[in-house]
Amino acid sequence: MLYHIFKNGWEDKAYIDARVFGLDKVKAEVMTWTPERVQDVTGIPEAEVLRIAEMLAKNKPSTVVWCMGQTQHTVGNANVRAMCILQLVLGNVGVSGGGTNIFRGHDNVQGATDVGPNPDSLPAYYGLAAGSWKHWCKVWGVDYEWVKSQFASQAMMEKSGITVSRWIDGVLEKNEAIDQDSNLRAVVYWGMAPNSQTRGLEMVEAMKKLDLLVVIDPYPSATAAMAAMMRKDGVYLLPACTQFETSGSRTASNRSIQWGEKVIEPLFESKPDHTLMYAFAKKFGFEKELCKNIKVNKDKQGWDEPEIEDILREINRGAWTIGYTGQSPERLKLHMKNMHTFDVKTLRANGGPCDGDYFGLPWPCYGTPELKHPGTPNLYDTSKHVMDGGGNFRANFGVERDGVSLLAADGSASKGAALQMGYPEFDHVLLKKLGWWDDLTEDEKKAAEGKNWKTDLSGGIQRVVLKVYGCHPFGNARARALVWNFPDPVPLHREPMYSPRPDLVDKYPQPDDKKVFWRLPTLYKSLQTKVRDISKEYPLIMTSGRLVEYEGGGDETRSNPWLAELQQEMFCEVNPRDANNAGFRNNDFMWVETPTKGRMKVRAQVTERVAPGTVFLPFHFAGWWQGKDMLEYYPEGAAPIVRGESVNQGTTYGYDSVTMMQETKTTLCRVTKA
Amino acid sequence: MARMKFLCDTERCIECNGCVTACKNENETPWGVNRRRVVTVNDGVPGERSVSVACMHCSDAPCMAVCPTDCFYKTEEGVVLHNKDACIGCGYCFFACPFGAPQFPNGPAAFGARGKMDKCTFCAGGPEENGSKAEFEKYGRNRLAEGKLPLCAEMCSTKALLAGDAPVISDIYRERVMRRGKAGEAWGWNTAYGKPEQAAPAAKEAAK
Ligand code: SF4
Ligand code: SF4
C-alpha cells in the first residue's frame, strides 16, 4: 500500500517533514516492493492493494484496527511498525478518528500491562535499571537496599526475565544454555490459559518436570487437567473470584479507566487476587513492605484484604511516565456516577461535576489529581492544548541521530505551547535553563531537585510545564519510522519459520539464531533451514484465532451453558477444495496434524471463509488430547460443558525477534478424514 | 396504545449472538430451546448477511389461526402470547409460522410428547400474574410490565436489533436508510406486518 501511496504522491508531505524521522530509508525499501513481488509473496493482486491504498489515502482520517493477527509472528514487531508507518505517512496519527487501535482480548488487559507484568519492566514502563528501582522503592516507601537483598544479585534484579511464551524452555532447556543460575522449578498460573500458548505437547513435559505448579483461577482450567494427565502431586488449585466479585479500576484499550463496583460477594471459597497476594506476602514475611501505604481490612471470613482505593492511589503516586497519576479513585467514581453528562462523540463532559474531563480520564492524565488534567482522548494531537488533552510525539531517544535532528520541526508543537518548536524532555536542569524553576513552590523545588518529569514525586515539574507553559513534559520529537535499535530497523519481510514456499525461505530468511534472548537460546535461521521443505509433508497453512462466543482459553465461557450451546464442538474451517481433495465432508470428523506431531480430532467446517490452501482453528478449546476426552482429569463437577482439542498442541516453534511473542498465526499442517 | 414490533437491520447485524445470549440469560430457557436465533446467508462469500430472528408478533398471526386449542392471545400492545396450560404440543403453530419461532423442549418428538410450545414473549410473560414466580417459570421475565423493552434488543451492541413501538423503530430505520442512500425493506416486515391487524386484540384477562 505504501508503494502506491508514494507512487501517486498521496503521502502527507508537510506532516512527514515536521513530525517523522527516518522515512527515506523506509521509502527506499518500500519502492523495491513492486506489485509483482507483493503478489508473489502475499498472493494479493495489484488491483486489490491499490484499491485499499487509494481508499485510505482519499478518505481521511481513518484508523487501522488489529488484534493478534499482526503481532503473533516472528516478524510481529515489523508488522505493527509497518502499520504505524502507514498511518504516519497518511498523517493519520494524532488526529481525531485516526491512529492505530489495537484491541485487547479481555477486561483490563491494558490495565494489567500498565502495572508491569512484563519481565523487562517495573510498573508504568519504567524498565529495570537501578534508577527505576529507586524511584519505585520511594513510591512504595521501602528501602532500596532491602529490595536488592531479596534478589540473588543486582545483575539478576536488572536483567529482563523469561517471557510467559517461553516458560516451558525455562524448565526444559539445558541448564548451561540458559542465562540464569537455576532452571525454572515452580510455576504459578494466575488467570492464564495454557491452551493459549504454543507447543502444547512440550508444555505437558515441562509440567511433569516442575517441582511445583500453582493454578489461581475461577475455574480449575486446562492447566489443572493437563497437569493431572502428567502427574499425581505437586499441583495446587487456589480459587480466585472474578472481577464481578470485587471492585476496582479497569483500563480499556483506549487507556480510559472505569471504576467497577462489586456485584456479588465472592462465591464459594474464592478470594480476590489482592487478598491472595497479601496472604502469600504474609507467608513469605514481607506483608508490611507490600502494603506500606495501603490500608489492610478484614473480609467477611477474617482474611486480610488490602484496600483497593489505596492501591490505585499508590499507582497514582508513581506512574508519571504514562500519566496514570491524575486518575484518583474519587475522580473515577465521580465519572461513573455522572456518565450521562459526557458527550458520546467527544467523550467530554459538558457541564456537571466532571465538566471538561474526558470519560475515564484516558492516560496520560498528567500531574496530581488536583491539577485536574482532563485525560487524553487521542495521543499526539497537536491541535489541542496539553491541558485540553493535546500532545505530540515523545522525545525518548535523545535529540539527534547521525547528524539529523530527532526533535519536531519549528511550528509543530501542541496548541498554545510556550515553545513552538521541537524540544527535549524536561528535567530540573532544563527548567532552570529556561528560567521556569521559580514557578515551582518551595516544597516542589525540594522534591524536584535532581529529578526529571517522571521521577519528581511532587508533580511540580509536570504542573509547571503543562499548566504554566503549555508544553509536554516528555518533550516534542519526531515519530521514528526507522528504529535503529531493533534487529530490522526498517521493517522487513521474513518468511515464517514454517513456510509453504521453500523458494521464499531462500529469498527472505530468518535472522541468525540468538544465544541469549530474554535469558534463553532462541532459534531462527537454523530451524527454518531444517524445516525448509517440510511443506511436502504438511502442505496447508494453518492459522488460529478467536470466536465471538468464547474468551481466551475458554474455561469460563465453555462452562457457561448459554455460550456453550452456541459453539458445541471444536472445529476446523477448510475450503471445499481442500476438503474434497482430502475426502471428507462438512461435519465429518477430521484429523489435523502438524510438524510438532500434534494430532487434533475436530469437526470439519467446510466453508469459503478460508481460501484454498489455508485452514483456520479457534484457540479457545481444551479438554481433548490427541483424540481423547480428558474428562477424568478434571476435578469432579468442574469440567467445562464443552471440551475439545486445543489448537496449540499443534502450533510450532517461532518467536518475535524483539518481543518474544509466540508465532500462532502461521504454521503448516495436513488434514485427513477421521 | 403502543404497537410493539421487532426490526433487525441486516446492514448492521454482525452475528455476535449477543441477542441470543441475552434472551437465554433473561428467560432462563433450557438448552435446545432457542427463542431467538441468528441466521447467516452467503457465509464466507461477498454479500454475507446475518439476521436475528424470533417471533415477530405478527399482525394477523398464522399461529393463532391454526391452534386447535385456541391457546394464543394478543395483548393490547400487539404482543402475541400463549397459554401453556392449554397447549397440547401438536406443533401446528410451528408449521404455520413463517419464521420458525415456536420451540418444543423435547424436539421433534411425536404428537403431544413434544412438550409445551415455547416462544419469544417480547419479554412480556404470560397469562399468570405479572412478575409472579409462576409466570417466570413458564414464560420467563415480564419486562414490559416493568416498563422495560426486550433484553435482546437492549443488549444488541450494533443496535441492529430494535424492539419497541412501531412508529418509533420505523423512524430510526428510515433515518438510517436515508443516510445510507440505499433503499431496503426491513427484513420480514411484509410477511409479519403486511396484513391488517387482527381485530379487537383480546386483553390478558379475556384469555384466562
Ligand atoms: S412469528 Fe410465528 S409465532 Fe410469532 S406471531 Fe408470527 S406466526 Fe405466531
Ligand atoms: S446482538 Fe445485534 S448484532 Fe449481535 S447477532 Fe443479535 S442482532 Fe446481530
Side-chain angles (χ1 to χ4, degrees):
Chain A
M1 288 195 281
L2 281 169
Y3 174 92
H4 293 291
I5 289 168
F6 286 131
K7 209 174 133 199
N8 290 288
W10 291 332
E11 69 270 33
D12 187 337
K13 294 186 188 73
Y15 183 97
I16 295 166
D17 286 348
R19 301 187 63 191
V20 183
F21 169 81
L23 195 65
D24 45 335
K25 296 237 167 56
V26 176
K27 188 174 170 183
E29 169 69 17
V30 164
M31 296 321 280
T32 67
W33 284 87
T34 58
E36 302 72 50
R37 199 173 161 209
V38 169
Q39 178 157 11
D40 181 39
V41 172
T42 67
I44 304 173
E46 173 175 10
E48 195 75 350
V49 181
L50 176 62
R51 187 174 68 86
I52 298 166
E54 186 166 7
M55 199 190 292
L56 283 170
K58 296 192 173 164
N59 295 278
K60 291 203 271 186
S62 58
T63 187
V64 182
V65 175
W66 70 84
C67 305
M68 302 275 100
Q70 296 282 324
T71 57
Q72 293 188 336
H73 296 272
T74 54
V75 289
N77 72 84
N79 289 342
V80 301
R81 281 186 292 140
M83 286 294 153
C84 297
I85 290 168
L86 171 68
Q87 287 294 64
L88 286 169
V89 166
L90 293 171
N92 271 338
V93 182
V95 294
S96 176
T100 55
N101 284 284
I102 301 88
F103 286 0
R104 298 302 210 159
H106 62 113
D107 186 45
N108 206 21
V109 177
Q110 184 63 51
T113 312
D114 294 341
V115 297
N118 291 2
D120 62 341
S121 186
L122 286 163
Y125 315 98
Y126 274 80
L128 291 175
S132 311
W133 280 105
K134 285 179 185 156
H135 167 73
W136 278 106
C137 286
K138 214 165 162 202
V139 175
W140 297 328
V142 299
D143 179 25
Y144 168 74
E145 291 300 326
W146 175 81
V147 173
K148 201 165 91 179
S149 72
Q150 306 298 304
F151 287 86
S153 67
Q154 187 170 354
M156 284 297 279
M157 183 179 181
E158 293 171 14
K159 187 189 296 189
S160 293
I162 295 173
T163 62
V164 67
S165 57
R166 296 290 303 275
W167 78 263
I168 55 179
D169 293 310
V171 180
L172 298 173
E173 188 58 73
K174 283 190 296 292
N175 184 258
E176 57 274 21
I178 64 175
D179 187 24
Q180 61 182 36
D181 288 344
S182 154
N183 282 74
L184 283 186
R185 292 167 53 199
V187 166
V188 181
Y189 257 84
W190 203 321
M192 175 83 198
N195 52 321
S196 65
Q197 292 177 268
T198 57
R199 297 165 61 204
L201 290 183
E202 287 168 88
M203 188 180 295
V204 290
E205 292 308 319
M207 284 179 173
K208 191 166 154 188
K209 216 173 152 194
L210 286 172
D211 292 0
L212 172 76
L213 175 64
V214 181
V215 183
I216 307 177
D217 205 281
Y219 281 78
S221 86
T223 326
M226 282 161 73
M229 195 166 73
M230 301 309 286
R231 58 193 294 166
K232 290 270 161 278
D233 57 0
V235 182
Y236 296 84
L237 305 183
L238 301 182
C241 67
T242 64
Q243 69 268 41
F244 307 113
E245 299 160 82
T246 182
S247 65
S249 67
R250 284 119 209 209
T251 312
S253 308
N254 69 332
R255 300 160 280 102
S256 74
I257 308 176
Q258 298 181 58
W259 192 268
E261 300 290 345
K262 187 197 277 184
V263 181
I264 50 168
E265 286 299 320
L267 291 173
F268 310 111
E269 297 169 291
S270 67
K271 293 285 170 203
D273 291 337
H274 52 283
T275 301
L276 294 172
M277 268 176 216
Y278 188 88
F280 273 121
K282 204 164 165 180
K283 263 275 186 275
F284 298 142
F286 59 82
E287 79 278 16
K288 296 262 163 359
E289 287 80 1
L290 182 75
C291 289
K292 228 7 157 331
N293 301 313
I294 296 162
K295 203 169 139 213
V296 179
N297 307 310
K298 291 272 177 212
D299 76 5
K300 291 202 167 118
Q301 287 78 36
W303 286 56
D304 296 311
E305 178 172 6
E307 191 158 299
I308 282 286
E309 283 82 354
D310 276 354
I311 297 175
L312 179 57
R313 287 187 192 106
E314 187 173 81
I315 295 172
N316 291 155
R317 272 198 303 279
W320 302 93
T321 40
I322 54 170
Y324 210 134
T325 47
Q327 304 95 333
S328 63
E330 291 73 22
R331 285 184 88 188
L332 295 179
K333 287 179 187 175
L334 199 66
H335 278 211
M336 300 309 282
K337 285 212 184 77
N338 293 283
M339 262 188 206
H340 58 283
T341 63
F342 289 83
D343 182 277
V344 293
K345 284 221 176 87
T346 62
L347 301 183
R348 207 162 197 195
N350 184 16
C354 311
D355 191 24
D357 283 359
Y358 292 97
F359 183 68
L361 301 168
W363 65 250
C365 174
Y366 281 121
T368 58
E370 293 71 42
L371 184 67
K372 288 242 177 293
H373 189 281
T376 308
N378 295 300
L379 295 169
Y380 324 121
D381 183 355
T382 53
S383 74
K384 292 194 185 107
H385 189 279
V386 283
M387 281 305 289
D388 255 344
N392 45 242
F393 295 123
R394 180 174 174 183
N396 198 21
F397 306 94
V399 295
E400 194 194 272
R401 178 87 192 169
D402 301 332
V404 181
S405 173
L406 287 172
L407 299 181
D410 287 356
S412 63
S414 53
K415 189 174 161 191
L419 305 174
Q420 278 299 318
M421 60 185 79
Y423 50 87
E425 55 183 335
F426 284 89
D427 62 4
H428 67 117
V429 179
L430 184 59
L431 235 56
K432 286 171 192 160
K433 228 200 273 165
L434 289 167
W436 298 1
W437 184 253
D438 283 333
D439 289 293
L440 295 169
T441 66
E442 286 312 309
D443 284 349
E444 284 172 345
K445 276 184 192 166
K446 255 182 252 148
E449 189 55 60
K451 303 280 181 192
N452 60 36
W453 66 280
K454 49 191 182 189
T455 53
D456 163 24
L457 297 191
S458 75
I461 295 182
Q462 292 203 355
R463 182 184 66 80
V464 167
V465 170
L466 288 158
K467 184 124 191 212
V468 184
Y469 295 100
C471 287
H472 203 299
F474 67 34
N476 177 19
R478 290 165 188 271
R480 295 186 308 161
L482 183 79
V483 181
W484 59 80
N485 50 333
F486 274 18
D488 289 329
V490 171
L492 292 182
H493 174 64
R494 294 182 182 280
E495 271 294 292
M497 284 295 202
Y498 290 79
S499 167
R501 292 272 303 273
D503 61 318
L504 293 183
V505 170
D506 299 341
K507 266 197 234 163
Y508 309 104
Q510 289 287 333
D512 291 335
D513 296 359
K514 298 187 194 205
K515 235 175 130 196
V516 179
F517 184 42
W518 299 86
R519 301 193 186 184
L520 291 168
T522 307
L523 306 175
Y524 290 95
K525 200 184 219 159
S526 69
L527 176 60
Q528 193 188 35
T529 312
K530 199 169 129 202
V531 299
R532 178 182 176 277
D533 297 309
I534 205 160
S535 58
K536 284 195 197 113
E537 289 162 71
Y538 300 94
L540 300 178
I541 298 171
M542 182 177 104
T543 187
S544 61
R546 300 175 205 260
L547 301 174
V548 71
E549 289 82 1
Y550 293 143
E551 192 278 321
D555 285 302
E556 291 88 357
T557 41
R558 282 182 287 105
S559 299
N560 175 325
W562 301 316
L563 297 173
E565 191 184 349
L566 290 167
Q567 286 292 352
Q568 302 183 12
E569 272 178 316
M570 171 63 177
F571 61 88
C572 173
E573 292 177 358
V574 198
N575 187 273
R577 185 178 172 81
D578 296 319
N580 289 339
N581 285 342
F584 56 78
R585 296 186 188 192
N586 192 32
N587 255 341
D588 281 351
F589 267 119
M590 63 186 279
W591 284 104
V592 181
E593 292 168 287
T594 78
T596 65
K597 305 285 176 241
R599 299 178 77 234
M600 297 164 274
K601 191 179 172 188
V602 300
R603 283 279 180 204
Q605 190 167 117
V606 179
T607 170
E608 302 271 356
R609 286 180 203 170
V610 285
T614 301
V615 304
F616 167 89
L617 297 110
F619 79 85
H620 311 289
F621 291 82
W624 275 31
W625 197 258
Q626 315 243 8
K628 278 220 288 293
D629 190 343
M630 292 163 74
L631 182 60
E632 61 179 301
Y633 299 114
Y634 286 85
E636 210 186 311
I641 300 166
V642 166
R643 296 176 300 281
E645 300 275 4
S646 43
V647 64
N648 281 319
Q649 272 168 55
T651 43
T652 46
Y653 189 104
Y655 297 95
D656 181 85
S657 60
V658 174
T659 65
M660 195 68 106
M661 175 52 88
Q662 55 185 3
E663 183 159 70
T664 64
K665 295 300 175 191
T666 172
T667 186
L668 298 173
C669 72
R670 64 171 167 242
V671 299
T672 51
K673 185 170 161 51
Chain B
M1 208 8 99
R3 168 53 168 115
M4 294 300 179
K5 288 182 182 172
F6 278 122
L7 191 158
C8 184
D9 186 342
T10 54
E11 294 289 315
R12 280 187 173 226
C13 177
I14 54 170
E15 198 198 351
C16 71
N17 278 310
C19 47
V20 174
T21 314
C23 175
K24 297 219 84 148
N25 192 350
E26 190 71 348
N27 297 303
E28 296 185 15
T29 49
W31 186 286
V33 170
N34 289 295
R35 293 181 175 185
R36 181 167 284 286
R37 255 181 237 278
V38 181
V39 179
T40 300
V41 294
N42 296 328
D43 182 43
V45 294
E48 177 178 313
R49 287 286 179 284
S50 295
V51 58
S52 172
V53 194
C55 170
M56 292 289 276
H57 305 274
C58 304
S59 304
D60 185 9
C63 56
M64 279 178 102
V66 301
C67 177
T69 68
D70 251 349
C71 76
F72 290 89
Y73 65 100
K74 205 172 205 186
T75 72
E76 286 174 356
E77 292 175 311
V79 177
V80 176
L81 297 178
H82 71 295
N83 179 348
K84 283 196 180 179
D85 296 340
C87 174
I88 54 171
C90 68
Y92 281 17
C93 55
F94 176 77
F95 291 107
C97 173
F99 297 100
Q103 303 282 299
F104 294 90
N106 306 332
F111 167 74
R114 291 190 180 101
K116 311 276 186 198
M117 188 276 276
D118 187 279
K119 73 164 191 71
C120 159
T121 66
F122 210 84
C123 286
E128 275 78 6
E129 196 191 325
N130 285 348
S132 64
K133 194 162 167 264
E135 185 190 48
F136 180 75
E137 275 164 9
K138 278 190 215 160
Y139 305 97
R141 199 82 58 195
N142 192 336
R143 292 172 56 89
L144 244 51
E146 298 171 13
K148 297 174 185 159
L149 287 169
L151 193 67
C152 53
E154 295 287 273
M155 294 267 273
C156 174
S157 57
T158 65
K159 292 286 165 260
L161 186 61
L162 302 171
D165 195 10
V168 178
I169 60 172
S170 4
D171 273 358
I172 297 173
Y173 186 64
R174 245 194 304 274
E175 198 190 309
R176 286 184 192 169
V177 168
M178 244 169 67
R179 270 185 211 223
R180 283 179 204 144
K182 201 159 88 184
E185 201 222 318
W187 186 89
W189 267 41
N190 209 10
T191 311
Y193 311 128
K195 295 207 187 110
E197 196 80 26
Q198 259 143 335
K204 193 164 178 166
E205 266 35 71
K208 279 192 183 166

